Structure formats: structure tokens, C-alpha cells
Amino acid sequence: MRYLPLTDADRGEMLAKVGANSIDDLFVDVPEEARLDGPIRGLPMHASEMAVEKHMRTLSKKNLAAADAPFFLGAGAYRHHVPSSVDTIIQRGEFLTAYTPYQPEIAQGTLQMLFEFQTQVARLYGCAVANASLYDGSTACWEAVAMASRVTRKNRVVLSGALHPHYAEVVKTMARFTNDEIAGAEPAIQSTPDNAGLIARIDEETSCVVVQYPDILGRITDLTEIADAAHAKGALLVVVNTEPVALGAIKAPGDMGADIVVGEGQALGVGLQFGGPYLGLFAVRDPKHVRQMPGRLCGETVDAEGKRGFVLTLSTREQHIRREKATSNICTNSGLCALAFNVHMTLLGEKGLRQLAAENHRLTCLAADRLAKVPGVSVLNDNYFNEFTLMVGQDARDVVHKLAAKGVLGGVSLGRLYPGVERLSEGLLVAVTETTSEEDIEALATALEEVLS
């Protein structure tokens, strides 16, 4: 079984069609010194499909999968139970399509799904309008920063030190191609976020303030005073949420004055999936900002016969409108992941989401109380939802590796998120969800006691 299905006769026919005598004739424009003169060093020669599959299965057995061990990793990607009905529904032929809904008359199902998805996100975030999704949480964060610059006509961006460092890096990378000045910081190792320090960094040139809620250390704070301080300087408040399940238990950012709320939708319906594809969520509190939003917006209307229908209300991208009028160069929405989010949220309903959030928090409280009893360990947070930071008294990266050797995926070290920042090296970020059992919590506590002894 070969990867390449072409026969010598096929190749000969194709070469004759383009007027070439051999394969080598196709590369005459490539300088001799740039061409390979033999196999690539260190890369094995080609093998059959069955042989490669066997080799890959052997390699995969070296992995310690989330479902095969006590699992406490979070930091922006969370393991939740996704009902089997989600996968069944999104694989129906009506949904599993690459079709882009340019023509509403033949894409009503897709458009209705996106309209309902937007409604769910807007309600979850406490906002007026949400778009039809973006690529992921980090790029949605940048889109919010870019939008804030357009709205305020300012270019100084204040990032909270407790914003996920990967999100901050995306913002800094994209800002290299704009005139935005990024004022970043590192998280303060204390029980509550440093709101006063953040507010002190806002000035008249600030376009937006970007905060995470709950933050990268799992801490939760009232955003109202930050919103008031930002608005007093003519800036917008951008709130990032990486765990949408949390909003079943804590106040929505829009209800505390956030102007733009963005986040990662992976936790609902999508699953870990080895890191992607994921789902960017984006919403605005004030309808007057809608035309500055990136991506697509689906709307409800009626047709000539008065029947309910759906259309693409806004498509603020280069494919649809003149480039100079585009708010973003994003070329699509995460349609299938948005559908999975939509289905999972619909199955849960508001009551189910609140119950799910309550169970996450209950188990997290059990974990925090139990782990705080481990000698040499302290819980940093005064408050949390389903994620908190442990201080373990030594380099947490070593602790994580030792826990993995004992069959426990014990969390994400702050040293991994902030390499080179010595004062953060002893921090271990622990996430607990409804998939975590009390036996898993005890296994982590026992393994941690052994590793730290």
C-alpha cells in the first residue's frame, strides 16, 4: 500500500501534457546547489501505510492520555465531559459540510445554528451582540485589541500581568505590524489580583485594558472598578475568559462594565483534542460598536412571504468588502466547533450549566482543602472557580515531571508559562472539573506528598 497512487504511465501522461521529458525537467529553475542529492539525513525512507500505522501506534503508547490518569491540567484548555450526543449531532450530513454560507437561501440551517450560537455567547458574556466565532481565544484577544484601537483612535494597550502569557504573546506579535504600544507586566504572587497597580497604569493614551477573568492564577475579582477607571480615561475594558463553564457560577463580565468580552469556547462541546482546533468567542456590550467587530454576524429576518429566515448581516472581511474597509483579515469562523459548543450548551440549558459549574467548584474546594494539608504546600488564592495556584516550595517543573512518572498529570507549572521568571518557579496551577473524582484528588495529594518529602 503506497501513499502515491500514480503509476509510471500516469506520470508519463502528465509529463507529456505539460511538455516535460522527465520529473527532473520540472525542477530546472531550482539551482543545482539547492537540490537534494540523496535521502534526507535522519529521515527514514518511505514505508507502507500499514507499517507507518504500526509505528505510530507504538509511539502513541508512550503518551499518558487525559482519560488514563488523574488529570489536573488547565491553563486555558480544560477537560470536561462532552456528551456522546454532541458528536452524533455534529456529524449529521446537514451540519458536517465545508460550505460557506454566502447564499442564505441554501444555508438556512447553518445560519440558524450560528444565530443561536451568537445568542448563547451574548447571554453567557452579559453582552448585547456576539459574532459567529473566531479561530481561538488568543487570536480573539488580539482582535479585541485591534478593535479597541479603531474605536478609541488610541494605540496604547495595557495588559494585566495576570493575562495568560500565551495570549499576551499573540498580542505582542500582532502589534509588531500595527502602531499599537503594548504595556505588559508579570503576575503578582499574591492571593488577590493587583487591581490598584493595573489601574495606575491606565493613562489618557490608553485604548484598552485587557484582563483575564478568572485570571491565569485562577483568581476572581470584581471588574467594576477597573471598568470605571478605564472609562474615565476614555479606554475600553477587554475581558478574556478561558473557562466558559465558570460563567455558570460567577457574574458575567458585561454586567460589570466590560466593553468587549472574548474567550476560548473549547471547554463546551469541543474537547481537548491534543490542542486544537478550538473556538474563539467574541462579544460587545454596546450595540454601537457592532460595525467595528471582526468576523461574521448572522441576523434574523423575514422573507417576502413573511417567513422567518436568517442572513449574514455583517461580513467585515476582505473577501466580502474592500480591503481598506475590512476590520480583520480573518477568513472564516470555526463553524464545526461553534456547532459543538451550541449543541452542548443547548443540551445543558441554563439550569444544567449552573449545576455543572457548581459541581466543578465543589470538587475544586475539596481538592484545595486536601492539597493544602500536604507538608510544604500552600494555596495562593483567596478565591477560585475550578482552578487555583499551589506554592510547592521548589521548582514546580521538576514536581510536574515526578508526578507524571507516578502516573498523575498534576498541573501546569508557572515556570513553564513564565520561563526565566524565578519568583514564579514554585507555582503549580491545578485545574479540577466534573471529570475529576475524589479518588483522583487523593491520588494527587498522595503523590505530591511523596514527591515533596
Side-chain angles (χ1 to χ4, degrees):
M1 298 175 65
R2 296 174 56 84
Y3 292 119
L4 303 178
L6 301 178
T7 65
D8 289 338
D10 293 330
R11 294 189 185 91
E13 185 177 345
M14 295 167 68
L15 289 169
K17 189 72 173 179
V18 299
N21 294 320
S22 69
I23 295 291
D24 290 338
D25 287 350
L26 300 177
F27 300 94
V28 293
D29 294 329
V30 179
E32 284 283 350
E33 60 272 17
R35 302 183 199 177
L36 288 173
D37 57 4
I40 299 175
R41 185 179 302 171
L43 195 68
M45 297 300 289
H46 72 272
S48 71
E49 183 176 341
M50 289 187 293
V52 172
E53 285 178 350
K54 182 178 180 180
H55 178 66
M56 296 305 292
R57 280 196 300 270
T58 300
L59 291 179
S60 71
K61 291 177 182 177
K62 296 181 179 181
N63 291 334
L64 185 58
D68 297 336
F71 184 86
F72 297 89
L73 276 66
Y78 302 93
R79 182 180 178 228
H80 289 284
H81 172 69
V82 178
S84 59
S85 50
V86 172
D87 197 45
T88 300
I89 292 172
I90 69 172
Q91 292 192 62
R92 288 183 61 91
E94 300 95 323
F95 293 123
L96 192 60
T97 173
Y99 183 73
T100 301
Y102 296 116
Q103 298 171 271
E105 64 273 15
I106 57 173
Q108 285 297 290
T110 298
L111 290 169
Q112 180 175 348
M113 178 277 291
L114 291 175
F115 181 80
E116 293 175 355
F117 165 82
Q118 292 169 179
T119 303
Q120 291 172 336
V121 174
R123 290 192 62 186
L124 189 70
Y125 281 173
C127 289
V129 186
N131 72 9
S133 80
L134 296 174
Y135 289 131
D136 61 16
S138 62
T139 49
C141 180
W142 161 251
E143 293 287 357
V145 168
M147 176 178 162
S149 294
R150 293 192 299 270
V151 170
T152 64
R153 301 184 183 278
K154 300 177 182 179
N155 67 352
R156 183 172 182 271
V157 180
V158 175
L159 302 182
S160 164
L163 174 66
H164 195 303
H166 296 170
Y167 284 53
E169 284 302 313
V170 169
V171 170
K172 292 173 184 176
T173 296
M174 296 301 293
R176 289 165 50 198
F177 306 99
T178 68
N179 293 320
D180 291 286
E181 172 196 342
I182 308 301
E186 294 171 355
I189 295 297
Q190 57 190 49
S191 59
T192 57
D194 183 16
N195 291 351
L198 177 64
I199 290 171
R201 294 163 54 208
I202 306 171
D203 61 22
E204 300 291 344
E205 300 303 315
T206 301
S207 65
C208 64
V209 181
V210 185
V211 301
Q212 184 170 324
Y213 172 81
D215 70 19
I216 187 58
L217 303 183
R219 303 169 302 188
I220 303 168
T221 189
D222 188 341
L223 302 173
T224 306
E225 62 175 348
I226 302 174
D228 291 343
H231 297 157
K233 298 290 186 179
L236 302 184
L237 175 61
V238 175
V239 175
V240 174
N241 168 262
T242 63
E243 170 55 293
V245 175
L247 298 176
I250 61 179
K251 197 170 185 178
D255 294 338
M256 291 181 281
D259 299 287
I260 307 174
V261 186
V262 301
E264 177 56 64
Q266 168 274 328
L268 289 169
V270 179
L272 289 170
Q273 299 190 125
F274 298 99
Y278 282 173
L279 170 65
L281 310 180
F282 193 108
V284 296
R285 180 171 55 92
D286 193 331
K288 73 180 181 184
H289 292 147
V290 165
R291 289 193 174 275
Q292 291 297 334
M293 288 174 63
R296 297 173 176 157
L297 181 66
C298 293
E300 182 181 3
T301 186
V302 293
D303 63 14
E305 298 177 355
K307 296 179 181 178
R308 184 189 191 208
F310 300 91
V311 295
L312 275 181
T313 305
L314 289 175
S315 299
T316 54
R317 64 195 189 121
E318 295 172 9
Q319 280 183 261
H320 289 123
I321 61 178
R322 293 196 306 273
R323 177 175 295 181
E324 62 272 17
K325 296 289 186 180
T327 60
S328 169
N329 64 0
I330 185 171
C331 289
T332 188
N333 56 288
S334 296
L336 196 63
C337 291
L339 174 61
F341 179 100
N342 189 4
V343 173
H344 196 172
M345 280 284 282
T346 302
L347 291 170
L348 285 170
E350 181 176 348
K351 182 178 179 181
L353 179 63
R354 294 190 184 282
Q355 289 175 337
L356 177 62
E359 178 63 4
N360 273 245
H361 187 59
R362 182 188 73 84
L363 289 166
T364 306
C365 290
L366 290 177
D369 290 345
R370 175 63 181 91
L371 294 172
K373 296 177 182 177
V374 174
V377 170
S378 62
V379 176
L380 177 69
N381 307 51
D382 273 353
N383 54 48
Y384 46 80
F385 169 63
N386 69 352
E387 195 165 25
F388 56 89
T389 299
L390 293 179
M391 303 306 294
V392 295
Q394 57 183 269
D395 194 321
R397 285 169 288 194
D398 295 335
V399 173
V400 166
H401 288 298
K402 291 175 182 178
L403 289 173
K406 292 180 176 293
V408 177
L409 297 173
V412 178
S413 63
L414 295 186
R416 179 180 180 183
L417 295 175
Y418 299 92
V421 184
E422 185 62 31
R423 62 187 178 79
L424 299 176
S425 64
E426 297 181 5
L428 179 63
L429 191 61
V430 175
V432 178
T433 72
E434 77 283 358
T435 65
T436 308
S437 68
E438 295 184 25
E439 291 76 17
D440 291 339
I441 294 170
E442 187 58 37
L444 172 59
T446 300
L448 197 56
E449 287 172 350
E450 294 172 357
V451 165
L452 298 179
S453 63

